Amino acid sequence: MSTSTPTSHAFDQAIALQPQDNNLFAGATSDTYQNMVGPFGGVTAATLLNAVLQHPERIGEPISLTINFAGPVQPGAFAIEATPIRTNRSTQHWLLLQRQAGEVVTSGTAFFATRRETWSEQQLSMPAAVAADSLPLVSRTERSWFENYDFRYVSGLFNPASPSEHDTGDTDTVLWARDNPARPLDFASLTAMGDVFAPRIFHRRQRFTPAGTVSMTHYYHADAAQLIEAGDRHVLGHARAARMHNNYSDQIAHVWSDDGTLLLTSTQVAYYKE
Amino acid sequence: MSTSTPTSHAFDQAIALQPQDNNLFAGATSDTYQNMVGPFGGVTAATLLNAVLQHPERIGEPISLTINFAGPVQPGAFAIEATPIRTNRSTQHWLLLQRQAGEVVTSGTAFFATRRETWSEQQLSMPAAVAADSLPLVSRTERSWFENYDFRYVSGLFNPASPSEHDTGDTDTVLWARDNPARPLDFASLTAMGDVFAPRIFHRRQRFTPAGTVSMTHYYHADAAQLIEAGDRHVLGHARAARMHNNYSDQIAHVWSDDGTLLLTSTQVAYYKE
């Protein structure tokens, strides 16, 4: 196997599943995508999506995905149950459960569909941003999963080593991201990239606090052909919060390919402690 | 029973459930909230949330809710199964399934939690809008559920009787909404109000096309005390789309109380035919 084939990439190893009977898939956590508590949530989400992508009864492409992080995923083996709970002519609804030792650690739902060509329009333009290659690579070592991405911050970097001393009141981050090493974009990697933004509370308060995503929803605007067009180049992400109130903050994010095509609308709600 | 008690309101009748054994609840569709195909989705979402609100094992208040409209809800009886799939110390994850004749018609997940007081901030301000009472009541009869709401459009009204003749390129709607007759806001009615915006494709193209929400996610910023403060007055909603592409459009919406408190961040993805 050549080192350039997708399946040899650390990301593909992290989301790999072995099909079992009865809608079940077996997997194991990857050391290379660990976060503070358990794996990087974006990889967990991509792994649950991957169960549907590999399911023999699957029709169409992902339109929406909701992932609920119910409890920490412990290092080691897990089982994913992906059940098609309603199949219509060109659409399909899925129920997703990830279990360890019989306990649900992640739940979710997904909606897949076959698209037909219709009147189409993109309303939300990509923010102005200088080219990724003109920005410094941000190398961070405090969490292992960071090393699997090439991040170039346009604005809104929270660096714990040099917190901003002034209160901007801003929750916006704009960054270029791609897998590191580069890997052609697909539905699984786009799913993970929708979760690469630090909790907005870190950026807003310029410090760490116990925090973590509890639920995340992706809407896939891109079809497979548009993902192929995005290639293995950086995508641009923009994330911001609308309100932080008593332990919970929302986040709205969008991800564009470098030619300005909106690939993903993503929202999430995150717990924060203080 | 006085006509002013909440339980006598048509909305409360529409979302009413009878608890059964084993996480099951029995309900029936309401003629007063019918949409083109099946009930108004906001009422379906509120009914599924209501199963959790009534569940004896429920802890805390809703933080997030995702509802997937898997198939048309037929007039008549339905069963809702609300299962607490993971309960932590102050948080709880729920799986929601609505069935008719054994078939899943709606699926969902919910996350509930007990909040504690933390550093808090609202980033997204309410758009400028003239007072609800200074705007005309928009009375529409093409779908029965409209009559259960008092809508006052600030901007972005699509009226099929007088479509706009120029292409604004705009997908934004800002409107005041409350139950009709007035009813004190609670988590169930806020859930429905997050879905009162017409499909963005109607507004964008100034005409009807077959369309319908396939998945909707709400993040509740308000706690019960803030809903009580909102009273039975209008709330302000703002909805817009980011991209419409080959049968599917997203929508991002926010709902504020009339004092400018952000109550809800909501996203949905809707099918459209052409």
Side-chain angles (χ1 to χ4, degrees), chain A residues 115 121 204 245 247 272, chain B residues 115-116 119 121 204 245:
Chain A
R115 295 177 188 264
E121 180 182 76
R204 176 64 187 82
H245 175 57
N247 291 135
Y272 67 96
Chain B
R115 295 177 188 263
R116 287 169 300 109
W119 182 90
E121 180 182 75
R204 175 64 188 83
H245 175 57

Side-chain angles (χ1 to χ4, degrees), chain B residues 97-242:
Chain B
L97 294 169
Q98 182 183 36
R99 293 187 181 89
Q100 286 186 313
E103 187 172 37
V104 173
V105 291
T106 313
S107 68
T109 57
F111 172 73
F112 277 59
T114 304
R115 295 177 188 263
R116 287 169 300 109
E117 191 170 332
T118 66
W119 182 90
S120 295
E121 180 182 75
Q122 178 177 322
Q123 285 83 29
L124 189 66
S125 299
M126 186 168 74
V130 298
D133 291 346
S134 70
L135 294 165
L137 171 65
V138 174
S139 180
R140 304 175 68 158
T141 56
E142 67 265 32
R143 299 181 189 180
S144 72
W145 70 270
F146 288 168
E147 296 170 33
N148 298 301
Y149 286 95
D150 181 307
F151 292 134
R152 315 277 176 143
Y153 280 78
V154 178
S155 61
L157 167 66
F158 165 54
N159 184 349
S162 62
S164 173
E165 292 181 12
H166 57 287
D167 181 348
T168 62
D170 184 349
T171 65
D172 288 53
T173 289
V174 178
L175 62 76
W176 292 104
R178 67 162 172 78
D179 288 302
N180 181 31
R183 177 186 175 282
L185 193 66
D186 58 18
F187 287 113
S189 65
L190 179 60
T191 297
M193 271 180 220
D195 193 32
V196 297
F197 310 97
R200 298 295 82 200
I201 190 80
F202 293 178
H203 169 48
R204 175 64 188 83
R205 305 204 69 194
Q206 292 288 308
R207 62 180 181 84
F208 285 128
T209 170
T213 304
V214 292
S215 185
M216 176 168 72
T217 290
H218 285 345
Y219 298 145
Y220 302 86
H221 299 296
D223 50 35
Q226 293 182 329
L227 296 181
I228 289 171
E229 286 174 24
D232 64 0
R233 304 183 307 278
H234 287 84
V235 296
L236 188 76
H238 177 202
R240 61 190 182 283

Side-chain angles (χ1 to χ4, degrees), chain A residues 160-225:
Chain A
S162 61
S164 172
E165 292 181 13
H166 58 288
D167 180 348
T168 62
D170 183 347
T171 66
D172 289 52
T173 290
V174 177
L175 62 76
W176 292 105
R178 66 162 171 78
D179 288 301
N180 180 31
R183 176 186 176 280
L185 193 67
D186 57 19
F187 286 114
S189 65
L190 179 61
T191 297
M193 272 181 217
D195 193 32
V196 297
F197 309 97
R200 298 295 82 201
I201 191 79
F202 294 177
H203 170 49
R204 176 64 187 82
R205 305 204 70 195
Q206 291 290 308
R207 62 181 181 84
F208 284 129
T209 170
T213 304
V214 293
S215 186
M216 176 169 73
T217 290
H218 285 346
Y219 298 145
Y220 302 86
H221 299 295
D223 50 34

Side-chain angles (χ1 to χ4, degrees), chain A residues 14-64:
Chain A
I15 68 168
L17 295 170
Q18 285 70 49
Q20 318 284 309
D21 289 338
N22 299 320
N23 301 321
L24 290 175
F25 296 81
T29 59
S30 165
D31 290 343
T32 58
Y33 282 90
Q34 285 299 298
N35 201 349
M36 288 297 274
V37 179
F40 164 48
V43 159
T44 296
T47 307
L48 270 73
L49 184 77
N50 198 26
V52 182
L53 291 169
Q54 293 192 10
H55 198 292
E57 294 172 37
R58 186 255 305 173
I59 59 170
E61 297 181 346
I63 306 293
S64 71

